[in-house]
Amino acid sequence: MTTLQQAEAAEHALSQELDRVVVKSVIFTSGERDPRQPVQRPPDQGKLYMMGHDPRLPKMPDKPTLFDFFRLRFGPSAHLMQSARLAMKNGLPEQIVLACLLHDIAIAGFIRSDHGYWSAQLLEPYVDEEVAWGIRYHQALRFFPDESVGYKYPELYVKLFGADYVPEPHIQEAYRYARDHKWYMTSRLITVNDLYAFDPSVKVELEEFTDVVGRHFRQPKEGLGFDQSPAAHMWRTINWPTRYL
Ligand SMILES: [Fe+2]
Ligand SMILES: [Fe+2]
């Protein structure tokens, strides 16, 4: 058996144990399988298909808050919390601390590719426009130094992408646009506090940011995902990533 076949067999065995049949979205498997081929629907084995909570995941409360997503869907989020703490230590305004806490939530719990844009879209209904804007553009700004604030091209990016990586034209265009925008510094300050070599021995608790989030994140009373905002469906997908529809 190839590695892929082994993985599929293991997954098949796992799904046998579930009460519901799980069909993965194309984006979960693209690259592992050829996206030009139709996704084979697994045989239903007399079972119903997954249409809600996946028992393999920790269950979210009925009205989930931002912190519920941090605890149950976004992993330990040490990078986000350490960046926010650094912004706090640097005496930056609460809106910047919030932006640092949330800047990579797409990587933490949703989709890596174009994470600045996805993160901003997830947050737009709930934070000030300037915070979402800053988060959207931090992705592009990370590739471009700014001596005026001591921001250099990240060494980590040389390691990750190679010394000859050049940002694509659409990223350069986004950079030029952001560079001339009145909110440039909001986005730039995210990159300045974007800790990539954080200390694993330093422990940051989510509770340190309770007040900042309470003051600047408009938590919907129905719970994130159930408030009919333009981003609610994205939060629902993070909550229930394996629903058939
Ligand atoms: Fe980022
Ligand atoms: Fe980051």
Side-chain angles (χ1 to χ4, degrees):
M1 269 204 275
T2 66
T3 327
L4 182 60
Q5 282 167 335
Q6 279 173 0
E8 275 169 356
E11 207 175 283
H12 182 69
L14 191 74
S15 73
Q16 292 279 77
E17 291 169 17
L18 291 172
D19 293 340
R20 299 258 176 167
V21 184
V22 172
V23 183
K24 282 187 181 169
S25 294
V26 171
I27 203 161
F28 289 4
T29 57
S30 198
E32 285 161 20
R33 47 166 293 282
D34 184 345
R36 292 169 300 185
Q37 302 302 321
V39 177
Q40 294 298 329
R41 204 171 70 174
D44 64 24
Q45 311 144 0
K47 295 179 190 173
L48 299 171
Y49 285 84
M50 182 69 73
M51 275 304 274
H53 172 66
D54 185 331
R56 296 170 299 177
L57 300 171
K59 195 167 188 314
M60 299 282 289
D62 292 339
K63 295 178 180 180
T65 64
L66 179 66
F67 279 8
D68 290 326
F69 277 91
F70 264 86
R71 291 198 185 91
L72 301 173
R73 290 292 182 275
F74 294 169
S77 305
H79 166 63
L80 292 175
M81 293 192 289
Q82 292 204 16
S83 298
R85 181 191 265 181
L86 180 63
M88 240 177 197
K89 227 177 73 190
N90 287 333
L92 292 166
E94 289 192 341
Q95 296 280 16
I96 303 286
V97 173
L98 181 76
C100 289
L101 182 67
L102 301 175
H103 75 281
D104 284 340
I105 55 166
I107 292 182
F110 193 46
I111 296 173
R112 295 193 73 88
S113 174
D114 270 312
H115 75 285
Y117 296 84
W118 286 117
S119 298
Q121 238 181 321
L122 278 159
L123 296 164
E124 256 158 1
Y126 314 109
V127 299
D128 284 1
E129 200 184 342
E130 185 172 346
V131 170
W133 190 95
I135 290 174
R136 173 171 284 112
Y137 288 99
H138 93 274
Q139 179 189 329
L141 293 194
R142 283 284 259 146
F143 293 106
F144 299 89
D146 183 343
E147 297 295 330
S148 79
V149 287
Y151 179 81
K152 295 191 183 63
Y153 184 80
E155 273 165 50
L156 178 73
Y157 281 11
V158 177
K159 249 187 244 163
L160 289 175
F161 313 129
D164 55 357
Y165 171 75
V166 179
E168 294 80 358
H170 71 276
I171 295 288
Q172 301 195 30
E173 175 70 34
Y175 164 68
R176 284 192 295 273
Y177 167 75
R179 186 80 191 81
D180 294 334
H181 197 280
K182 63 178 175 187
W183 291 335
Y184 167 71
M185 212 24 93
T186 301
S187 197
R188 177 50 80 194
L189 284 171
I190 297 174
T191 70
V192 170
N193 293 278
D194 199 341
L195 269 185
Y196 61 84
F198 56 85
D199 182 349
S201 68
V202 176
K203 195 108 179 66
V204 192
E205 300 295 339
L206 211 43
E207 284 67 28
E208 289 179 33
F209 310 104
T210 302
D211 291 347
V212 169
V213 168
R215 278 194 280 271
H216 304 289
F217 184 86
R218 295 183 285 276
Q219 172 67 43
K221 62 178 187 327
E222 302 88 345
L224 280 168
F226 305 105
D227 54 319
Q228 305 292 332
S229 85
H233 61 288
M234 293 164 69
W235 292 93
R236 284 199 303 275
T237 297
I238 298 172
N239 187 344
W240 295 322
T242 52
R243 276 177 68 107
Y244 189 79
L245 294 179

